[in-house]
Amino acid sequence: MRTKTFSLAAVLLAGSFAIVSPAMAQEADDKPFNGLYVGGTVGFDAQPNDRGSTVLFDRNLDGRFGDTVVTSGGDNAFAATAAQPGAGFCNGRATSTGLLTGCTNDKDNISYSGRIGFDKQFNHVVLGVVGEFGKSEVRDSVSAFSTTPASYTLTRKVDYNANLRARAGYAFDKTLFYATGGGAYAKINSTFETTNTANAFATSGKKDAWGFVAGGGVEQKLGKHFSIGLEYLYNQYKDGDYRVRATQGTAPVTNPFVLAPNTAGTDFARSDRFFRWHSVRATAQFRF
């Protein structure tokens, strides 16, 4: 009797698994974007050529930029003249001492990152959060050319960057279309180059930059655990603390940067306080 009871129980238990297992599999198939995932990205970043970008000057060191640097003769030291038509500004990197003969565009390059995220799928709607840590190889420069002639270039690059953002999308079977956005952080490496060997120059400023990223993409499930995708992100960071101070060095007292009545020097700053770029990248995820 007891043997028959155990046999019947075994049959009922096996039957229960036979019914429940397809249901669980069906539920997993119905929600292919549900749960935790890890992955990575690789792509191409384009730094927009910031038209109109210039170098600003604080001639009296009062913290307000926009002063004119003048020569001992009262002329603007960064305005083109008939004798020196190469003076002025360019939104790129100087390759010579004159604007007319040397200014390259900002540098576009690759980017890469690792990511971890979690999605919750409600029927077709998918809501989630994702965090990333990586690096972009873009470069953003702005240059000034004086009537000396000489060039002065401020350049910024990314040491590394990270973001934490929300995702919201709509899934068609195993294809997910989504929008995304959130806060971001970048460690910015700013540098200064000049062909002026008479004045002395010192730099200062924070490397920490905060901002946001926003965009969208598509993700395609390839199997039970793998998915690939294509994503666009707009990146913007506030980066306005970098300063360059020009002091006398070996230059004469008539040098425009230390010309009386203010002989302490002149501060330089970029006119564009935001570091921006566009990212188009491929993604790959392992979903648990």
Side-chain angles (χ1 to χ4, degrees):
M1 183 68 178
R2 183 174 296 179
T3 303
K4 291 182 179 180
T5 301
F6 282 133
S7 298
L8 179 59
V11 170
L12 291 174
L13 185 60
S16 298
F17 274 117
I19 295 172
V20 173
S21 296
M24 293 177 63
Q26 182 63 38
E27 182 179 355
D29 290 340
D30 286 346
K31 297 181 178 180
F33 299 100
N34 198 69
L36 181 71
Y37 62 91
V38 296
T41 74
V42 61
F44 183 78
D45 289 3
Q47 159 62 38
N49 202 228
D50 302 314
R51 297 189 181 281
S53 293
T54 65
V55 176
L56 301 178
F57 302 101
D58 177 11
R59 184 63 188 85
N60 54 9
L61 303 182
D62 62 356
R64 294 191 294 249
F65 287 83
D67 299 336
T68 300
V69 178
V70 297
T71 65
S72 57
D75 298 320
N76 186 336
F78 288 87
T81 64
Q84 184 47 253
F89 305 92
C90 83
N91 48 313
R93 187 177 185 182
T95 58
S96 73
T97 57
L99 174 62
L100 301 181
T101 57
C103 186
T104 61
N105 287 338
D106 294 328
K107 183 181 179 182
D108 302 333
N109 215 321
I110 64 169
S111 64
Y112 39 90
S113 69
R115 54 166 47 180
I116 181 170
F118 181 84
D119 288 329
K120 183 66 175 178
Q121 185 167 351
F122 307 89
N123 293 324
H124 293 287
V125 176
V126 177
L127 302 177
V129 62
V130 58
E132 288 184 333
F133 180 87
K135 180 175 174 58
S136 173
E137 300 288 351
V138 293
R139 183 191 70 202
D140 178 27
S141 299
V142 61
S143 298
F145 299 87
S146 65
T147 56
T148 311
S151 64
Y152 310 82
T153 300
L154 285 74
T155 299
R156 54 191 173 193
K157 302 177 182 179
V158 180
D159 281 343
Y160 57 83
N161 57 297
N163 65 72
L164 180 64
R165 49 193 168 85
R167 295 207 317 170
Y170 193 88
F172 296 90
D173 191 16
K174 295 184 179 183
T175 304
L176 172 66
F177 295 91
Y178 63 89
T180 184
Y185 166 82
K187 181 71 77 173
I188 305 298
N189 181 17
S190 296
T191 57
F192 173 71
E193 298 174 274
T194 181
T195 58
N196 178 340
T197 58
N199 292 100
F201 298 90
T203 62
S204 63
K206 298 177 181 179
K207 290 188 175 183
D208 301 315
W210 297 89
F212 70 91
V213 294
V218 58
E219 184 177 341
Q220 179 66 47
K221 199 76 177 290
L222 296 182
K224 183 178 179 181
H225 296 293
F226 294 98
S227 65
I228 60 173
L230 185 65
E231 187 174 73
Y232 163 79
L233 282 183
Y234 172 77
N235 304 259
Q236 177 172 297
Y237 297 89
K238 187 176 182 181
D239 176 47
D241 292 325
Y242 187 67
R243 300 286 185 269
V244 177
R245 177 164 295 183
T247 54
Q248 186 169 353
T250 60
V253 295
T254 56
N255 183 272
F257 295 133
V258 294
L259 190 64
N262 182 19
T263 60
T266 299
D267 278 355
F268 299 15
R270 311 174 64 105
S271 64
D272 51 322
R273 301 295 181 90
F274 293 96
F275 195 0
R276 307 177 177 92
W277 67 86
H278 304 277
S279 300
V280 177
R281 62 250 192 95
T283 71
Q285 292 74 221
F286 178 87
R287 288 185 168 270
F288 296 93

